[in-house]
Amino acid sequence: MTDHPLLGASEVPAVEPYLARVGEVFAAGPVHDSGCRTYGVRLPDGERWCVKEPLTDAAQRSLDSGWEFHRAVRHPAIVPQIHRLRAGGRTAAVLPWRDGESLYHRSPSAAPGERPGGALARFRALPVARVLAALDRILDAHLAVERAGYVAVDFYDGAVLYDFASHTPHLIDLDEYRRGPFAVQADRLPGSRRFMAPEEWVRGAVIDVRTTVYVLGRTARLLLDAGDEERAWRGTRRQRAVITRATCADPPHRYTSVREFVAEWRAASGREADEAHAPLGGGELMH
């Protein structure tokens, strides 16, 4: 136990009033689809922290699952839950604050097209080398996920917080990641259809590392394209071939592990200087 106003406290009357009392609440987001509200708080010594408050029972279960995930998986790219605050019968999570913008910026009136000038559009306009560096950090984090026996659930561009000043991606909101393999117990898993593997939509289907391979393949496909229509591929033909195998609809035809996929991706990316970056003809429809 310490006298730190966040890390030293275990129970508070209510989250937002307590944060306002011990520091400055400089950010208070809307209630997410997950049922959580996120606050940014600056303490008097200048430290900045993020606090996620669950507002529903489902959100609490997800946050509790995330707590277990962060005990098992550590990586510099993954923003961890490091402490919990009990308030009003629920438990909020305390995380380090990370600068950056979520790459999920979409216009509800024009879905699924991205918002002009939004973070995703600006990210896609970066030099290919910058995008590849960000992807490599995302892939490296998922090697740690695989080593810990977890599989990706509900990963999409909104889980990527990108700091345009330092060109550093941070991974957030990985609370739905689960130990695998496991079987789908509902009609579908949570997630974005742009990233989800076919088996995530089938009750009773097995979710394992090959599902994570699919999700990471879609991540590479979407982040290395200049638009959501997937007709402006900025990578190489060899990288595209790796993605094609990773995102095969039939799981046995994908790479058998994240490690294998990452090795093939890095080998393909190492030869990019020898290949043309001209967009390939045609395009894929979004999943």
Side-chain angles (χ1 to χ4, degrees):
M1 180 68 69
T2 72
D3 57 1
H4 192 283
L6 291 179
L7 305 184
S10 59
E11 187 163 1
V12 300
V15 171
E16 188 171 14
Y18 180 75
L19 298 180
R21 180 165 66 83
V22 300
E24 172 197 357
V25 178
F26 63 86
V31 179
H32 299 165
D33 292 342
S34 65
C36 289
R37 176 176 285 132
T38 302
Y39 305 94
V41 58
R42 182 183 290 106
L43 300 182
D45 62 3
E47 284 186 358
R48 292 182 300 165
W49 295 87
C50 175
V51 178
K52 285 181 68 174
E53 179 185 19
L55 302 179
T56 67
D57 291 343
Q60 183 67 75
R61 288 193 294 271
S62 179
L63 214 55
D64 289 345
S65 176
W67 178 258
E68 296 304 320
F69 168 77
H70 288 293
R71 306 280 72 71
V73 182
R74 299 295 177 93
H75 188 275
I78 298 175
V79 183
Q81 293 185 28
I82 61 174
H83 189 64
R84 301 207 282 181
L85 294 172
R86 291 192 299 273
R90 300 196 191 281
T91 306
V94 180
L95 306 88
W97 179 264
R98 295 287 186 265
D99 288 322
E101 299 177 58
S102 168
L103 293 189
Y104 183 75
H105 278 274
R106 306 197 170 266
S107 168
S109 63
E114 65 185 65
R115 191 175 71 194
L120 181 57
R122 288 186 285 120
F123 178 83
R124 284 169 160 169
L126 292 172
V128 169
R130 291 283 194 194
V131 177
L132 288 175
L135 274 170
D136 196 66
R137 184 173 167 93
I138 292 169
L139 297 179
D140 197 65
H142 282 86
L143 289 174
V145 170
E146 181 176 66
R147 286 194 296 270
Y150 276 78
V151 295
V153 178
D154 195 19
F155 183 81
Y156 70 120
D157 43 18
V160 181
L161 193 70
Y162 191 74
D163 185 344
F164 285 90
S166 66
H167 292 289
T168 304
H170 306 286
L171 302 185
I172 59 174
D173 298 335
L174 306 186
D175 299 333
E176 291 294 333
Y177 278 36
R178 306 177 193 179
R179 290 195 179 275
F182 68 90
V184 179
Q185 299 296 320
D187 292 335
R188 57 161 289 184
L189 290 176
S192 165
R193 68 175 57 246
R194 294 172 299 125
F195 290 78
M196 292 172 68
E199 62 268 23
E200 296 186 79
W201 298 82
V202 180
R203 182 186 289 269
V206 174
I207 305 299
D208 60 17
V209 293
R210 293 169 301 180
T211 308
T212 305
V213 166
Y214 185 101
V215 172
L216 294 175
R218 286 295 295 159
T219 301
R221 182 66 184 89
L222 287 166
L223 295 187
L224 260 176
D225 203 283
D228 279 343
E229 296 81 10
E230 299 186 35
R231 298 193 179 104
W233 173 243
R234 303 180 70 204
T236 66
R237 286 175 172 80
R238 187 177 174 191
Q239 288 169 332
R240 180 70 173 270
V242 173
I243 288 173
T244 297
R245 180 177 172 188
T247 57
C248 181
D250 191 5
H253 292 158
R254 300 173 198 157
Y255 296 104
T256 59
S257 67
V258 174
R259 182 178 179 179
E260 184 185 12
F261 166 65
V262 171
E264 289 296 313
W265 175 259
R266 287 175 173 170
S269 299
R271 292 184 56 190
E272 66 182 25
D274 300 326
E275 303 182 46
H277 282 87
L280 301 181
E284 301 173 3
L285 294 177
M286 288 181 296
H287 292 261

